[in-house]
Every structure is written in C-alpha cells, then in structure tokens.
C-alpha cells in the first residue's frame, strides 16, 4: 500500500484532470482554484491524475520548457492547498498530435514515411501504418537507430522529477498513458481471446517492460522518494484480459515504491452503448488478472483511469459494479474525467449530474493499519471497514462520509473497540476520524443511517 507520513494506508478516490487539456494550446486544464477546492469539499476526493505532455515538456530536442512547468506548478499549488494527492501522468493518445491526438513532440515522430489517413473514431487511428511505425521505432531501443527517442523521453521525466519531486501535492509519476504495441497489436486478443504466446506478450516483455525499467532507473537518479506508477499496454488488459509484463525493479534503497496503475474500459460497453453484465467480462476479468498481477509485482494496485458515457443503457449499474469491485479489492481509483459532459459528474454549467451520487460515496481516505475489507451498500447506505494493526502507524483512521448527500437524516457509527475508541466528526470536510487502540489485533467500523 501507499502510505502517508504517519504510516497510514492511503485509499485514493479522485478524477483525471482533464481531457480538455489535450486540445488546449497551453496544455492546461480549464479549471481554477475554486474547482479544485470543490473536488475536496463537495465530492471528498483526495486524488487527481494530472495530465502532462511530452510535446510541451520538451518541445525541441534537449529543450525543457520551464514556462510550461510554471503553469503546472500553479495548479499543483491549488491541489496542495486542497490536500489532494497528485500523480503526474505523461499522457499520449495515438502517439502525437499529428495523428489526431496528443503526446510526443513533432520532432519525435519517426514514421519512416508510412501512410496515415485520419479515421472517424480516434482509437481506430492506432491501426494506421504511420502510427504503428512511430510506436515501433520508439520502443525498439536496442535497434539503435532510434534509441535517442527513449533517451529523450527519460530525460524529459528527469526534468519533471527534478522540478516537482519536492512539491507537497505530488505523490508520484505515471510513466506513460496507454502505451500501444504498434505493429505487435493482436486483433484477436483485442476481441477477447487471450493469446499468451502471441505478439502482445512479445511487446510486454521485450519492449514495454525494458522501456519502463529504463525510465524508472533514470528517475531514481534524481528522486528516490516519489512513487512511480505504471500501466499495462493499451487495449486488451483494460477489457479484462491478461498483461504479460514481468516484475519491474526499483533501484532505490529501502522498500520499492512502484505502483500498478492500469486502466479499465469495457470494449463491449463502448461498442454497443449497453452494459450487459451477464455477457460483459471486463470487470470480473480485470479484477481477476490485475489483482493476481499486483500480487506477483508485490505492489499497490489502483485504477488509474476508468469511466464511461453515463447516458449508455445501464451505465449507472456499470458504475456501481466497478465501484463495488474496487471496494472488494480495497483499491483506489481516478475517474475519467473532470470534464463537463456525459462522461463526467457535472454538466456544461458545472452543475452536478446524477452520476455524482454514485461516484461520491463513503470511503476510508487513510487507514491506521492494513485494510482487510470494505464495502458500501448504496441501498441500505451501510458502510463497513475492517483493518488490522500494523507497527509504526500513528494517527486516526479517516473516513469520508458524505453525510448531506447519503445521510440527510443523520448517521451513526459502531466501532468494534467500543469505548476504547475515540471518534470525532468534522462537519465541514465530512471526515469521521476514529482512533483505535493499538492492540496488535483487528478493528471494524460500521456506518449506517440514523433511525
């Protein structure tokens, strides 16, 4: 688990900030400090995955744009003031802006003159020859000819870590958003058939893992404290299929600070606009494979990105099923995204949409021990947390309880330690703080509607 300065386990709930950054000339999200404060106070979020872009970090080879860093730092100050933990996400979609989307600077596109024709759906551009060649040339480090690309990418990350490694809001770095296998894309596996001996396995083990390890090693030259987050390849793992990547190493002294940050998107839901859980294996498959992979990696697991058009049929059930899975696996998440619209929790006027009542729910922000189980029943409004003591932990367990939203008639709590526990309630931040005796045993906290 990721822990805070008191040794408490952090459960991160929050938003990606934000898709609109991709098309902005300055690559900044169209928000202000008031919106950031609202994330903390109205919705109880303690986390954001903040998009940054290689083309603005290093617009020309070897040139780091400190003005861009100044803009990022201003936003990070807002998040620090709101006590929101930030993961800086080096974002890319379809490699670069030239290919429809965002990511690499123009000078880092090595497509060998392969053709490109813009497609009507953004993700279909991944199958264009120029895009696949650009990814191939980026990941084929040992081929030599284009090895400078990964070196530049690592240098860009070093510059980010040098500038923001000491910022109080920054908890870590997400190495690359949804890395694509390029020409090693396996169409059959994208459609739902695992192929452990196929091209995706080659990409994961021979191209993606070495790139991640190279960048991890370089970041650790300048920052040994922040967590380094990494994802699976784009496509099939997000739909609940396996990743084939091996174990990454953290060269820092002391325990590793690597965190698994995969995405979750149902291809069936996206394709049909209907959530049919009896036919859709994305959520159960994701839970099975990602938890097993995190155990092998021996690292914390969070959902780095997930979301959906909430006007889809049965979308609210899909939201709830995903949240129930996250609670069951005692992991945190970052929802895609803060942008107003049908995917978000606000409309164009920044008024709440009904999906906010699903995403904003009780959760333990900081656990004074090791979480064993947690759950929230949206019908009965009963929340339950079980955890065990762990040496070296100080401070209370803090539970976000959106009282006005879910408990308009009030709520009560039951702590297994009885009168030996100390409980305080912060009505402004809606935080229930529970200090339990350090007995070396287990503790349970239940919250339920009053009456």
């Amino acid at each position: 688990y990721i822990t805070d300065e008191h040794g408490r386990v952090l459960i991160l709930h929050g938003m990606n900030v934000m898709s609109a950054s991709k098309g902005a000339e300055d690559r900044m999200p169209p928000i202000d400090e008031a919106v950031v404060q609202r994330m903390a106070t109205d919705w109880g979020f303690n986390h954001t995955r903040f998009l940054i872009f290689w083309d603005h970090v290093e617009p020309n080879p070897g040139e780091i744009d400190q003005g861009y860093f100044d803009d990022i730092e201003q936003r990070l100050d807002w998040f620090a003031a709101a006590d929101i933990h930030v993961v800086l996400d080096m974002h890319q979609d379809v490699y670069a802006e030239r290919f429809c989307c965002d990511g690499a600077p123009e000078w880092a596109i090595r497509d060998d003159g392969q053709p490109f024709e813009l497609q009507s759906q953004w993700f279909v551009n991944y199958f264009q020859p120029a895009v696949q060649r650009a990814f191939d040339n980026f990941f084929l480090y040992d081929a030599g000819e284009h090895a400078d690309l990964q070196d530049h990418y690592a240098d860009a990350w070093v510059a980010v870590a040098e500038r923001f490694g000491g910022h109080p809001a920054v908890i870590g770095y997400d190495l690359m958003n949804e890395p694509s296998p390029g020409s090693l894309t396996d169409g059959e596996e994208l459609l739902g058939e695992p192929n452990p001996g196929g091209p995706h396995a080659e990409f994961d083990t021979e191209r993606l893992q070495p790139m991640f390890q190279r960048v991890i090693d370089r970041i650790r030259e300048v920052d040994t404290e922040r967590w380094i987050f990494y994802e699976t390849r784009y496509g099939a793992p997000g739909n609940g299929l396996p990743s084939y990547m091996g174990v990454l190493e953290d060269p820092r002294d002391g325990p590793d600070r690597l965190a698994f940050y995969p995405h979750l998107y149902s291809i069936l839901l996206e394709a049909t606009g209907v959530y049919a859980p009896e036919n859709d294996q994305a959520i159960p498959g994701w839970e099975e494979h990602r938890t097993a992979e995190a155990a092998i990696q021996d690292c914390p697991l969070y959902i780095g990105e997930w979301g959906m058009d909430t006007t889809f049929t049965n979308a609210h059930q899909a939201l709830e099923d995903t949240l129930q899975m996250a609670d069951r696996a005692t992991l945190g998440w970052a929802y895609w995204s803060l942008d107003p619209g049908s995917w978000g929790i606000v409309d164009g006027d920044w008024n709440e949409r009904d999906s906010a009542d699903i995403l904003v729910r009780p959760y333990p922000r900081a656990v004074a021990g090791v979480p064993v189980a947690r759950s929230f029943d949206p019908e009965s409004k009963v929340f339950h947390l079980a955890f065990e003591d762990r040496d070296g932990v100080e401070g209370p367990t803090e539970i976000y309880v959106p009282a006005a939203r879910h408990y308009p008639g009030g709520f009560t709590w039951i702590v297994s330690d009885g009168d030996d526990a100390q409980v305080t309630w912060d009505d402004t931040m809606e935080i229930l703080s529970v200090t339990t005796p350090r007995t070396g045993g287990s503790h349970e906290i239940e919250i339920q509607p009053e009456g």
Side-chain angles (χ1 to χ4, degrees):
Y1 293 99
I2 293 175
T3 56
D4 65 9
E5 66 274 18
H6 305 294
R8 298 177 300 180
V9 167
L10 293 178
I11 305 295
L12 304 175
H13 278 200
M15 305 288 281
N16 280 264
V17 177
M18 57 194 284
S19 184
S21 303
K22 301 176 186 180
E25 185 174 352
D26 61 359
R27 296 294 193 272
M28 285 293 109
I31 59 173
D32 56 20
E33 190 169 7
V35 170
V36 174
Q37 284 292 333
R38 188 179 181 191
M39 290 176 66
T41 56
D42 288 12
W43 304 317
F45 293 141
N46 66 344
H47 175 46
T48 190
R49 179 174 176 257
F50 188 90
L51 279 62
I52 62 175
F53 302 89
W54 185 17
D55 64 357
H56 269 47
V57 174
E58 190 184 13
N60 297 300
E63 174 191 317
I64 302 300
D65 188 341
Q66 295 298 329
Y68 179 52
F69 282 179
D70 291 342
D71 290 342
I72 294 171
E73 186 166 18
Q74 181 188 41
R75 277 74 180 174
L76 292 178
D77 290 345
W78 299 345
F79 287 110
D83 197 23
I84 291 176
H85 302 288
V86 176
V87 172
L88 295 173
D89 156 46
M90 195 74 82
H91 207 85
Q92 73 80 32
D93 297 288
V94 199
Y95 196 80
E97 186 175 8
R98 186 205 294 178
F99 299 138
C100 87
C101 298
D102 55 90
E106 180 70 19
W107 60 264
I109 299 174
R110 311 279 174 84
D111 61 7
D112 297 333
Q114 291 294 305
F116 173 79
E117 183 176 342
L118 185 65
Q119 304 297 300
S120 59
Q121 293 181 301
W122 71 270
F123 57 87
V124 182
N125 290 297
Y126 275 114
F127 296 94
Q128 286 291 297
V131 174
Q132 295 197 338
R133 184 64 60 84
F135 276 110
D136 287 348
N137 285 333
F138 177 85
F139 283 109
L140 282 172
Y141 184 84
D142 291 334
E145 183 179 0
H146 301 291
D148 63 305
L149 289 176
Q150 284 192 34
D151 291 338
H152 275 289
Y153 192 76
D155 288 343
W157 262 121
V158 167
V160 170
E162 285 181 323
R163 178 66 184 266
F164 301 117
H167 196 284
V170 175
I171 196 172
Y173 316 114
D174 183 1
L175 296 179
M176 178 181 283
N177 178 71
E178 298 181 351
S180 170
S183 65
L184 292 180
T185 298
D186 185 340
E188 290 188 11
E189 192 163 57
L190 285 176
L191 295 176
E193 293 297 328
N195 186 13
H200 281 166
E202 179 183 347
F203 174 76
D204 284 357
T205 59
E206 302 299 325
R207 301 188 186 185
L208 182 59
Q209 182 177 344
M211 187 278 284
F212 278 165
Q213 191 63 61
R214 236 171 249 119
V215 179
I216 289 168
D217 293 345
R218 290 294 314 284
I219 290 174
R220 285 297 182 234
E221 293 175 7
V222 297
D223 185 351
T224 61
E225 297 305 309
R226 295 299 174 274
W227 287 78
I228 297 178
F229 294 72
Y230 63 94
E231 306 180 18
T232 63
R233 69 183 180 279
Y234 173 72
N239 193 42
L241 271 69
S243 166
Y244 306 111
M245 193 162 51
V247 176
L248 292 164
E249 303 292 337
D250 191 342
R252 72 184 295 272
D253 292 335
D256 288 357
R257 290 194 172 183
L258 305 179
F260 197 22
Y261 211 41
H263 297 182
L264 169 56
Y265 289 104
S266 163
I267 292 177
L268 184 62
L269 174 61
E270 294 285 334
T272 65
V274 177
Y275 177 58
E278 66 277 8
N279 299 321
D280 195 332
Q281 293 302 304
I283 296 173
W286 194 98
E287 180 178 11
E288 175 188 356
H289 291 297
R290 300 297 85 77
T291 54
E293 291 156 6
I296 292 171
Q297 296 276 353
D298 193 24
C299 69
L301 172 64
Y302 296 85
I303 309 176
E305 188 184 308
W306 71 285
M308 66 198 68
D309 186 330
T310 57
T311 65
F312 284 167
T313 302
N314 299 329
H316 285 186
Q317 183 182 350
L319 290 175
E320 186 59 45
D321 286 355
T322 305
L323 292 166
Q324 292 287 346
M325 181 272 289
D327 285 352
R328 187 166 57 247
T330 66
L331 53 88
W333 45 262
Y335 184 80
W336 186 270
S337 65
L338 187 61
D339 299 75
S342 62
W343 280 63
I345 63 174
V346 294
D347 61 22
D349 295 320
W350 286 86
N351 298 312
E352 276 193 7
R353 300 178 64 250
D354 52 9
S355 54
D357 284 339
I358 302 173
L359 290 165
V360 180
R361 59 206 280 122
Y363 75 100
R365 294 161 51 100
V367 180
V370 178
V372 174
R374 80 171 193 261
S375 63
F376 173 66
D377 185 328
E379 299 299 325
S380 68
K381 305 296 185 181
V382 173
F383 167 84
H384 179 262
L385 170 69
F387 63 97
E388 297 176 347
D389 281 333
R390 185 165 62 89
D391 291 340
V393 179
E394 299 177 348
T397 293
E398 296 180 355
I399 302 171
Y400 172 66
V401 184
R405 185 181 302 268
H406 287 297
Y407 303 97
F411 67 93
T412 60
W413 57 81
I414 301 171
V415 182
S416 60
D417 300 278
D419 293 339
D420 291 332
Q422 299 177 352
V423 182
T424 60
W425 168 244
D426 182 338
D427 187 59
T428 301
M429 296 301 296
E430 297 189 303
I431 299 293
L432 188 74
S433 297
V434 183
T435 302
T436 50
R438 303 292 190 262
T439 61
S442 60
H443 312 272
E444 295 187 45
I445 302 170
E446 185 168 285
I447 294 169
Q448 53 189 237
E450 199 162 41

